[in-house]
Amino acid sequence: MFIFKRRLLAVRTFLIAILLLIVCRLGFVCVKWNDEMSRLAVSQRVVDVGIEEKRGQIYDRNMELLTCGDDEHVLVAFPSLVAGEGDVIEGIEMALGLEHGYFTSLKGAGYVNVPDGEMNTHDQLSYAQAANVTTSVRKGGGLSFNVDEDMVEFVERSMENVDGMFLISVPKRYSGLAAHVTGYISGTGDGISGVEHAWNDLLSRSSYDVATLYSDSTGNAMYGMGIRTRRAGQQESWVKLSLDLELQKAVEEVLDARKVTGAVVVMDVDTGEILAMASRPDFDPNDYVDQLNSTNAPFINRALEPRYPGSVFKTVVAAAALESNVADENTSYVDTGYIEKGGHTFKCPSYVTGGHGKVTLKDAFALSCNTAFIDLGCKTGAKAIVDCAKRLGVGEVWDLGMGNTKRGTLPTPPLGDASVANFSLGQAVVTMSPLDVAVMVSAVANGGILNAPKLVLQTCDYEGNVCDYVYPKSERAIEEEVASRVRRMMEQVTETGTASSVLKGTNSAGKTGTAQTGRVDGSGSAELDAWFAGYFPASAPKFAVVVMVEAGRSGSASSAPIFREVVNFLDNR
């Protein structure tokens, strides 16, 4: 009896020890492998269908999305569930560009095999080797298809009588705003232009939108559970720009309302940050193929294209003359409407009325008197003007974080009198982009301090590492006193000068320009580039605004009104 009890106790102790070991092992598994076991359990009862590959996002300065457009539609179908009237299903197949009986042929298949030539972008994502995305499409697996916008209503109506299909809305990549800045991607998902191209490696390593349907142990979808979308893959990478979404939208609306070809740049005077950059005509980055052969060059970012600046360059000539003590604001000149230089006759718009007569430098600036500035440029000398222009950013290559800009041109002194005359008027030997002009205006408005233009502010990779984009430090371009004197002349342009009919009383300042281009229109008439370059408010400058209109009438008639609308938006926000 005693021996039996001892054996029973030993067996009991052994069983308890085994039980404790099992409990400890289970506890270890629960703690150590909890996430992995949960994932494996879920993966046995869910079917994931890749809807869309998500590139990293592009944000404005306030972390508002620039890469988020109107919704497009994707149909997600689970062949094992597809049921309904044959003609209705056939109609959906036709709407999707599929062969008759496509869904029926997939029913009951152990695996779904789609021939290489028949995969669309979404089909490929269903098979992509991405983290947390089920890649084997078992019995009950699903496929996704783009639905053309003109077929959405038909497909949606047809699906009322069909089971196993779901219509999902996903945002398009682009809203259309700042298309020349964001750029666009190819059909294979590679960045082709703009920020998309410059930061392709960063933005392409991202995530997927996934549609999930719950299934039973045999792989058949469970009725009543519905479908859900989620984001899978790596943490989202992004690029943050200096643009202001609302300002960008307002600027583009102004350009579209006036139906002009040209560009607008708005810059923060104190920092050099580009708050808006718009070019017209533009393009739809979501559907750009049809525009590739357009004759109006919609893919050119006119804000970055150097061209003759015309009379806005008189701002540089005035600054160089003041620096060199060749003249001051009250130096007088008698304009007869024309001047001879280097064997050429140069006329002022006032020629038809006999000239402006006796004018001071500040009057000549306000009235944009050509002869006075040709005389002033020749007295100042090409070397002094070129030196001042370089310090104000003319001929500089800017790194905006999306590739280097094109370099504007400056002549190499010495120059003949005729060339100096053209130089003084911003013609023939000097080119500047609207961005270059914005940098120049910002330096004058900022007391002579030049800030390099800034577009990309920060980036974040898929591991969450945030980096600030580094730009050159600010530099003094011209003395503060010279900048102040030029500013007073720019203020007179809007109060009593060439832009006063449009901008008087707006607390703004600037310079008009009407540049000859060498182009002619269909009637053989010369085409002009119309400019207005200025800042706001005049009393305490915060924003530089540059407007360039191709085939315009004049700076005051074509560009100053656009400047006014942009300034009104800035004043009222």
Side-chain angles (χ1 to χ4, degrees), residues 61 242 266-276 451-455 457:
R61 64 189 302 104
S242 60
V266 183
M267 184 178 290
D268 186 310
V269 164
D270 294 324
T271 65
E273 293 175 0
I274 300 169
L275 305 177
N451 291 298
K454 302 170 179 66
L455 182 63
L457 297 183

Side-chain angles (χ1 to χ4, degrees), residues 305-329:
E305 285 292 311
R307 60 187 64 223
Y308 300 143
S311 290
V312 296
F313 190 73
K314 290 173 182 173
T315 307
V316 176
V317 178
L322 293 174
E323 279 186 332
S324 304
N325 293 316
V326 169
D328 60 30
E329 299 89 330

Side-chain angles (χ1 to χ4, degrees), residues 247 250 254 258 502-503 505-508 536 545 560-573:
L247 177 58
V254 171
R258 292 188 173 270
V502 180
L503 298 175
T506 59
N507 191 21
S508 62
F536 170 82
V545 181
I562 296 174
F563 176 90
R564 180 180 182 122
E565 290 194 55
V566 174
V567 162
N568 284 343
F569 178 84
L570 292 169
D571 193 31
N572 294 323
R573 52 181 321 200

Side-chain angles (χ1 to χ4, degrees), residues 307-534:
R307 60 187 64 223
Y308 300 143
S311 290
V312 296
F313 190 73
K314 290 173 182 173
T315 307
V316 176
V317 178
L322 293 174
E323 279 186 332
S324 304
N325 293 316
V326 169
D328 60 30
E329 299 89 330
N330 298 312
T331 298
S332 62
Y333 173 81
V334 178
D335 170 38
T336 60
Y338 71 96
I339 188 172
E340 300 281 346
K341 288 292 178 183
H344 295 268
T345 300
F346 296 87
K347 295 179 180 179
C348 184
S350 65
Y351 175 79
V352 294
T353 59
H356 290 113
K358 187 177 180 178
V359 292
T360 64
L361 175 56
K362 62 184 179 183
D363 294 331
F365 191 90
L367 298 171
S368 202
C369 179
N370 286 346
T371 59
F373 266 84
I374 289 174
D375 180 72
L376 182 66
C378 288
K379 290 178 178 177
T380 304
K383 185 178 184 304
I385 299 173
V386 168
D387 179 61
C388 184
K390 286 181 177 179
R391 285 183 276 116
L392 287 168
V394 185
E396 187 62 69
V397 174
W398 307 112
D399 173 14
L400 302 179
M402 64 170 195
N404 292 336
T405 61
K406 291 183 180 179
R407 187 189 301 275
T409 56
L410 281 169
T412 301
L415 301 178
D417 286 348
S419 293
V420 175
N422 276 316
F423 189 27
S424 302
L425 302 181
Q427 293 284 168
V429 294
V430 57
T431 60
M432 300 173 68
S433 68
L435 176 65
D436 293 333
V437 176
V439 172
M440 176 195 73
V441 171
S442 291
V444 172
N446 193 32
I449 301 296
L450 184 140
N451 291 298
K454 302 170 179 66
L455 182 63
V456 173
L457 297 183
Q458 287 182 320
T459 61
C460 178
D461 64 21
Y462 66 97
E463 293 181 338
N465 300 311
V466 178
C467 296
D468 294 330
Y469 200 78
V470 178
Y471 290 93
K473 294 181 179 179
S474 303
E475 294 181 354
R476 175 161 294 283
I478 56 177
E479 292 301 319
E480 185 174 3
E481 180 193 2
V482 172
S484 178
R485 293 162 73 183
V486 174
R487 277 176 53 188
R488 286 195 293 271
M489 288 192 280
M490 296 177 78
E491 290 167 13
Q492 193 166 337
V493 171
T494 60
E495 289 301 309
T496 64
T498 52
S500 59
S501 62
V502 180
L503 298 175
K504 186 173 182 177
T506 59
N507 191 21
S508 62
K511 183 70 188 77
T512 55
T514 307
Q516 298 177 14
T517 65
R519 303 188 303 267
V520 295
D521 61 20
S523 66
S525 300
E527 287 192 352
L528 306 172
D529 284 344
W531 293 81
F532 190 85

Side-chain angles (χ1 to χ4, degrees), residues 35 38 42 87 126 136 165-166 190 255 257 263 439 461 469 521 558:
D35 293 341
S38 296
V42 170
D87 57 342
S126 301
S136 60
M165 295 184 183
F166 303 86
D190 293 319
L255 288 174
V439 172
D461 64 21
Y469 200 78
D521 61 20
S558 300

